[in-house]
Amino acid sequence: MNAPAPQFHRIERIRRESKRRRVTVQRAFLVTPKMRRIEFTSPELADFASPSPDDHVKVFVPDPAAPQGVSMRDYTPRAFDGARSTLAIDFALHEAGPATAWAQNARPGDPLEIGGPRGSQVVADDFDHYLLMGDETALPAIGRRVEGLRPGVPVTTIVVVDDAGEIQTIEARADWRPVWITRSGQSRDDAALLREALDAWAAPKGDGYVWIAAEAQIARALKLHMLEERRHPPAWLKAAGYWVRGKAGESEKLG
């Protein structure tokens, strides 16, 4: 009997029951001047699972202006240690809002409720190369994916941040090729800056996986460029609008 043929470039979607958990701040510190990492701990994290770098959890933060006094926001689990039952989430300290206000003031011992992740999209690490693009809201997912890739595989990241102080250090076994774009001193917007960097990128030979996350319109435009002009296979591309201009707390799934 012949063995089944191996499945290459498999992308597995995992669904699970949504569960709310009560966690406690263990420590908080600045990764950069405008990115604060908060580490949580809780016995309720014993069955927490986050197999994909771009998973999302719902964060329930106090908000006096909300109907029930609480607002929900989506955040990426930056790191999870099951043995220690600790979860790290990075909060970008840019726009004012209930989640940013909570993160700026969080101290050890402060409680918080989180929900999910409800689902994951797990991408096999057998592509010949990777391209990861976005703004600072994409950095937690980008950093986590870069850290998890196999040794030596080429991965290019193109990220726009406010200034040089927001450039992050990421530990990588992969052949990581970072492209950092700073807004400071620029007259062009994120869309133009990211597109210029993308135009300068030459795809390595072989099969590549592309991941994009930024403001919704920008992410959509970059996705269309990759599909229509670069002829990138749709199945090997994921784009998401991590935020929507003028609409606090909203995001868009772009496929």
Side-chain angles (χ1 to χ4, degrees), residues 224-238:
L224 289 176
H225 169 75
M226 291 301 302
L227 294 177
E228 297 178 359
E229 298 182 41
R230 296 264 185 155
R231 302 296 181 185
H232 190 81
W236 301 346
L237 182 151
K238 182 179 180 182

Side-chain angles (χ1 to χ4, degrees), residues 6-253:
Q7 294 186 20
F8 294 106
H9 307 334
R10 183 179 180 186
I11 299 176
E12 181 183 7
R13 289 172 173 81
I14 301 171
R15 302 296 297 175
R16 61 179 63 85
E17 292 291 330
S18 182
K19 180 177 179 179
R20 287 179 68 154
R21 296 173 173 86
R22 189 173 178 85
V23 297
T24 303
V25 175
Q26 181 168 269
R27 67 171 182 150
F29 59 93
L30 290 174
V31 178
T32 63
K34 296 178 182 178
M35 185 74 77
R36 194 173 198 221
R37 181 167 298 166
I38 301 180
E39 294 182 354
F40 301 92
T41 185
S42 172
E44 296 183 24
L45 290 170
D47 60 348
F48 183 86
S50 176
S52 177
D54 59 351
D55 282 343
H56 283 87
V57 293
K58 292 285 185 185
V59 172
F60 300 87
V61 294
D63 181 4
Q68 296 182 353
V70 175
S71 284
M72 296 184 297
R73 295 292 187 269
D74 287 336
Y75 280 91
T76 302
R78 181 59 179 82
F80 175 64
D81 186 333
R84 296 172 53 234
S85 291
T86 58
L87 170 67
I89 297 176
D90 286 359
F91 292 79
L93 306 179
H94 280 269
E95 297 183 6
T100 299
W102 183 89
Q104 286 176 323
N105 296 292
R107 297 292 182 269
D110 286 352
L112 188 72
E113 283 197 352
I114 63 170
R118 293 185 61 183
S120 302
Q121 182 172 292
V122 181
V123 178
D125 185 11
D126 60 2
F127 285 87
D128 298 306
H129 60 91
Y130 296 82
L131 172 65
L132 315 173
M133 295 186 66
D135 58 22
E136 50 274 285
T137 64
L139 267 175
I142 287 175
R144 185 174 163 190
R145 192 177 295 275
V146 168
E147 290 173 349
L149 290 173
R150 68 187 187 274
V153 63
V155 52
T156 298
T157 59
I158 302 175
V159 183
V160 60
V161 294
D162 274 355
D163 52 51
E166 295 306 304
I167 294 174
Q168 295 189 14
T169 299
I170 299 173
E171 298 295 329
R173 300 173 302 162
D175 179 12
W176 179 39
R177 306 167 189 185
V179 177
W180 295 99
I181 310 163
T182 57
R183 299 185 186 96
S184 57
Q186 298 279 359
S187 59
R188 293 166 296 166
D189 60 12
D190 284 10
L193 294 171
L194 287 167
R195 177 58 189 270
E196 181 182 56
L198 180 56
D199 287 343
W201 174 74
K205 293 182 179 179
D207 299 338
Y209 182 78
V210 176
W211 185 89
I212 302 166
E215 193 279 328
Q217 292 186 6
I218 296 172
R220 184 180 294 107
L222 294 172
K223 174 187 176 181
L224 289 176
H225 169 75
M226 291 301 302
L227 294 177
E228 297 178 359
E229 298 182 41
R230 296 264 185 155
R231 302 296 181 185
H232 190 81
W236 301 346
L237 182 151
K238 182 179 180 182
Y242 269 15
W243 58 284
V244 180
R245 195 175 307 279
K247 298 181 179 180
E250 291 194 20
S251 61
E252 288 188 18
K253 296 180 180 179

